[in-house]
């Protein structure tokens, strides 16, 4: 039925607002988005909301179980470790190290990788061939193994781990961006834009990037997950965050010897990391699906 009100103009939502509304209709992705926002808030406000310092030791409360067990203490909701440190406080501080750093490292890799990938995707000839062969050589090595090699060269420590993970993630963004750009360049609308006299930069900015943003978002969510796993794995191996750090991987490494006596020391960091990884991946897939159909 045609609209008969000629005085009030109908406000139709734009494509990205439609995509956001479609994303919120996906209940699983929306719940996972709320969980991711919760982890981000925890990572940002860890020193404020943490009940105790990550290094605070209560020698009178060693290896207390979580508070819902009969031997637990309500002052330590998730129990304490073998040095009397509050597990909940360490998990909160660990969110800044494992999850917060992963978000920043993946975003830095996105900026560098997308720029290099755009250059590789728009280039031809020898320059394109060099990019392809270099990427194939780097991507043939598993990311964790490559990170271990880089940390072994730079030396153990969380700072060097950040650089190693960043160098590992950049080729993945370059490869993905290059593929999607070359797929777009083969489409007819690019030919039409070229015939209109658009420059290569204008084609890339105004025609290609708006149509590949969902692939970049998905790659970012995968990169955050990969960064979390690599940071935690290097911490677990003693190459990243050192033992005693509240980083989730280092916490798992510290709890190995006590897994039969105090299983919560290994279970709680594992569950926290699993929930964070699952939420990030679900949000990435949900945003990609919503953006893919934003023009429907």
């Amino acid at each position: 039925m045609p609209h008969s009100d000629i005085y009030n103009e109908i406000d139709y939502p734009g494509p990205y607002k439609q995509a956001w509304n479609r994303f919120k209709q996906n209940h699983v992705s929306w719940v996972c988005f709320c969980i991711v926002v919760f982890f981000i808030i925890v990572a940002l406000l860890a020193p404020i909301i943490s009940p105790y310092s990550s290094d605070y030791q209560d020698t009178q409360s060693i290896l207390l179980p979580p508070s819902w067990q009969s031997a637990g203490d309500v002052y330590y909701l998730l129990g304490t470790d073998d040095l009397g440190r509050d597990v909940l406080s360490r998990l909160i501080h660990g969110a800044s190290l494992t999850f917060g750093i992963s978000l920043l490292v993946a975003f830095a890799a996105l900026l560098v990788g997308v720029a290099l990938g755009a250059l590789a995707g728009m280039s031809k000839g020898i320059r394109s061939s060099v990019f392809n062969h270099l990427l194939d050589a780097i991507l043939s090595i598993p990311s964790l193994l490559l990170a271990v090699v880089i940390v072994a060269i730079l030396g153990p420590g969380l700072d060097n781990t950040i650089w190693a993970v960043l160098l590992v993630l950049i080729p993945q963004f370059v490869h993905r961006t290059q593929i999607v750009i070359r797929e777009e360049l083969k489409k007819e609308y690019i030919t039409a834009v070229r015939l209109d006299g658009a420059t290569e930069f204008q084609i890339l900015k105004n025609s290609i990037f708006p149509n590949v943003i969902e692939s970049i978002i998905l790659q970012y969510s995968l990169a955050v997950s990969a960064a979390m796993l690599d940071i935690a794995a290097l911490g677990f191996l003693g190459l990243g965050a050192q033992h005693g750090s509240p980083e989730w991987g280092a916490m798992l490494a510290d709890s190995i010897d006590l897994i039969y006596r105090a299983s919560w020391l290994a279970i709680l960091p594992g569950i926290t990391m699993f929930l964070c990884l699952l939420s990030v991946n679900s949000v990435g897939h949900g945003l990609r699906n919503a953006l893919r159909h934003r023009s429907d």
Side-chain angles (χ1 to χ4, degrees), residues 201-213:
F201 179 76
Q202 290 173 335
I203 292 174
L204 182 65
K205 177 184 176 183
N206 301 324
S207 300
I208 294 180
F209 271 145
N211 291 310
V212 302
I213 188 172

Side-chain angles (χ1 to χ4, degrees), residues 35-36 38-39 42-43 68 78 87-96 98-99 228-229 232 246-249 251-252 264-280:
I35 295 174
V36 170
F38 171 77
F39 275 109
V42 169
W68 56 82
L78 299 183
V87 175
L88 175 60
S89 299
R90 291 176 61 77
L91 288 176
I92 292 174
H93 284 278
S96 300
T98 306
F99 180 61
M228 287 183 60
L229 290 173
E247 193 274 320
W248 293 341
M251 290 180 65
L252 285 171
W264 64 88
L265 296 179
I267 293 174
L268 293 174
I271 291 177
T272 304
M273 188 179 303
F274 171 77
L275 181 61
C276 193
L277 289 170
L278 179 64
S279 300
V280 168

Side-chain angles (χ1 to χ4, degrees), residues 1-285:
M1 180 178 179
H3 182 65
S4 59
D5 189 351
I6 63 175
Y7 299 102
N8 296 321
E9 183 179 358
I10 300 177
D11 183 18
Y12 291 101
Y16 289 104
K17 187 174 182 180
Q18 292 179 13
W20 176 247
N21 293 333
R22 187 177 293 108
F23 173 78
K24 291 192 294 185
Q25 292 173 1
N26 187 336
H27 300 299
V28 174
S29 297
W30 179 248
V31 171
C32 291
F33 175 78
C34 295
I35 295 174
V36 170
V37 171
F38 171 77
F39 275 109
I40 293 175
I41 294 173
V42 169
L44 291 174
L45 303 179
I48 299 175
I49 64 177
S50 175
Y52 305 95
S53 169
S54 62
D55 297 326
Y56 172 75
Q57 300 180 13
D58 184 355
T59 57
Q60 303 299 321
S61 304
I62 293 178
L63 290 180
L64 281 179
S67 59
W68 56 82
Q69 297 187 15
S70 58
D73 190 335
V74 71
Y75 291 103
Y76 301 102
L77 292 178
L78 299 183
T80 60
D81 61 9
D82 56 332
L83 296 178
R85 297 174 296 189
D86 181 42
V87 175
L88 175 60
S89 299
R90 291 176 61 77
L91 288 176
I92 292 174
H93 284 278
S96 300
L97 297 177
T98 306
F99 180 61
I101 290 177
S102 298
L103 289 176
L104 297 177
V105 170
F107 184 73
L110 182 149
L111 295 179
V112 178
V114 169
L116 294 176
L119 177 63
M122 301 296 289
S123 63
K124 299 179 181 178
I126 296 178
R127 185 167 56 183
S128 176
S129 179
V130 170
F131 266 113
N132 289 335
H133 286 84
L134 183 61
L135 284 175
D136 290 340
I138 295 176
L139 293 174
S140 63
I141 305 174
S143 62
L144 179 58
L145 177 59
L146 185 59
V148 169
V149 172
I150 295 174
V151 170
I153 295 174
L154 298 177
L158 186 59
D159 294 338
N160 292 334
T161 297
I162 294 173
W163 285 108
V165 174
L166 176 63
L167 294 175
V168 167
L169 293 180
I170 288 176
Q172 299 178 15
F173 279 102
V174 175
H175 180 68
R176 184 60 184 170
T177 305
Q178 179 186 22
I179 289 177
V180 295
I181 287 179
R182 289 189 173 178
E183 289 177 351
E184 292 296 316
L185 288 173
K186 298 177 182 178
K187 297 182 179 179
E188 295 181 355
Y189 79 94
I190 296 297
T191 303
V193 172
R194 279 202 174 102
L195 292 175
D196 285 340
T199 63
E200 293 296 312
F201 179 76
Q202 290 173 335
I203 292 174
L204 182 65
K205 177 184 176 183
N206 301 324
S207 300
I208 294 180
F209 271 145
N211 291 310
V212 302
I213 188 172
E214 64 269 12
S215 297
I216 295 176
I217 287 177
L218 176 61
Q219 184 62 41
Y220 177 73
S221 67
L222 296 175
V224 173
S225 300
M228 287 183 60
L229 290 173
D230 289 346
I231 291 174
L234 291 173
F236 182 82
L237 296 174
L239 298 174
Q242 298 301 296
H243 293 294
S245 169
E247 193 274 320
W248 293 341
M251 290 180 65
L252 285 171
D254 293 338
S255 65
I256 290 299
D257 295 336
L258 300 169
I259 193 168
Y260 293 109
R261 183 181 177 186
S263 59
W264 64 88
L265 296 179
I267 293 174
L268 293 174
I271 291 177
T272 304
M273 188 179 303
F274 171 77
L275 181 61
C276 193
L277 289 170
L278 179 64
S279 300
V280 168
N281 286 333
S282 297
V283 169
H285 284 279

